[in-house]
């Protein structure tokens, strides 16, 4: 798996590696390779092109990680704010919030948790969750 993920990442850096394990496997070797070339410079034109492709891929990994971190933080903030205002969040609702990665949706839920009612948040999460499964 490790070699295949790295080859895929290097061969086609524009093809996203959606699976977190594949990203994790490929990122370390890509960063090491990038550091080596930065220290010594590319040996050939092809290596230079490969370096540029890897640089783009590393940038995509960083951006994807940043978005995932923001989503996790917003989900956690929504849960904490809900629980501060209304008490323990029901497990199904908590699971739905934690499983959501769309930043706009999470931002809406965070605002509702802070200024809306428990019922409005329940309805909003339920509507979004049922829309995803259809």
């Amino acid at each position: 798996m490790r070699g295949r993920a790295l080859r895929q990442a290097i061969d086609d850096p524009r093809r996203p590696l959606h699976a977190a394990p594949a990203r994790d496997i490929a990122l370390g070797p890509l960063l090491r390779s990038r550091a080596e070339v930065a220290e010594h410079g590319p040996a050939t034109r092809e290596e230079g092109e490969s370096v540029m492709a890897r640089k783009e891929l590393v940038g995509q990994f960083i951006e994807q990680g940043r978005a995932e971190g923001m989503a996790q933080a917003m989900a956690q903030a929504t849960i904490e704010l809900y629980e501060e205002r209304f008490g323990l969040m029901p497990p199904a609702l908590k699971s739905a919030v934690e499983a959501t990665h769309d930043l706009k949706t999470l931002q809406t839920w965070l605002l509702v948790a802070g200024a809306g009612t428990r019922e409005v948040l329940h309805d909003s999460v339920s509507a979004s969750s049922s829309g995803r499964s259809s």
Side-chain angles (χ1 to χ4, degrees):
M1 170 77 176
R2 181 182 196 142
R4 187 176 67 206
L6 182 57
R7 272 193 306 281
Q8 288 174 351
I10 292 171
D11 291 345
D12 188 358
R14 287 164 294 287
R15 191 176 107 193
L17 294 172
H18 294 290
R23 279 196 328 263
D24 295 343
I25 290 168
L27 187 56
L30 285 170
L31 289 173
R32 279 191 298 281
S33 172
R34 182 176 170 200
E36 289 171 10
V37 171
E39 184 177 326
H40 303 290
T44 66
R45 180 176 166 266
E46 289 170 345
E47 189 175 78
E49 290 173 0
S50 178
V51 168
M52 293 305 293
R54 283 181 265 161
K55 183 177 180 180
E56 181 182 327
L57 182 62
V58 168
Q60 289 173 1
F61 283 154
I62 291 169
E63 184 56 37
Q64 191 172 15
R66 185 177 294 134
E68 289 173 7
M70 288 177 62
Q72 288 175 344
M74 289 182 97
Q76 187 61 38
T78 300
I79 292 165
E80 289 176 11
L81 187 55
Y82 176 99
E83 291 184 345
E84 182 65 30
R85 291 189 67 211
F86 307 118
L88 196 59
M89 183 179 268
L93 187 65
K94 187 174 184 177
S95 293
V97 171
E98 290 173 335
T100 300
H101 302 287
D102 181 70
L103 292 175
K104 287 193 180 278
T105 300
L106 288 165
Q107 183 179 26
T108 299
W109 293 349
L110 181 60
L111 293 172
V112 172
T117 64
R118 173 193 318 238
E119 292 75 20
V120 170
L121 183 60
H122 285 244
D123 291 347
S124 180
V125 172
S126 295
S128 180
S129 296
S130 65
R132 262 197 316 241
S133 61
S134 325

